[in-house]
Amino acid sequence: EIHNYGICGTTIAGDDKDSFCNRYTEMSQADIITVFGGVNDWGRVGKGGAIPLGNISDTNKMTFYGALNTLCEGL
């Protein structure tokens, strides 16, 4: 069984309910997970500009690294 949880135009980081780091908890369990994201974090045209990169050990969901760490740890 395949589930597609992709939502066009969403970001990995942010406080938006559709950001990857906030909606992964709603996914059903899976044997294999593929994540494709990051482009919209960099190019958020019309939404205040790019998401800050942060640092590699960050856990702040408002930075790219922090949200990515949260997402990976959660998955």
Side-chain angles (χ1 to χ4, degrees):
E1 190 172 348
I2 297 172
H3 298 275
N4 179 355
Y5 292 101
I7 300 175
C8 183
T10 59
T11 57
I12 290 178
D15 56 2
D16 178 326
K17 71 174 179 57
D18 287 336
S19 64
F20 290 32
C21 68
N22 290 324
R23 65 183 155 94
Y24 76 89
T25 59
E26 299 169 12
M27 295 171 52
S28 56
Q29 286 198 326
D31 295 322
I32 298 171
I33 299 171
T34 303
V35 176
F36 180 77
V39 173
N40 293 324
D41 292 85
W42 177 77
R44 289 181 46 176
V45 176
K47 293 188 177 182
I51 297 282
L53 187 59
N55 65 61
I56 198 75
S57 60
D58 203 347
T59 57
N60 179 351
K61 290 183 184 182
M62 297 305 291
T63 69
F64 179 76
Y65 278 137
L68 188 60
N69 285 333
T70 299
L71 177 63
C72 290
E73 189 70 31
L75 291 176

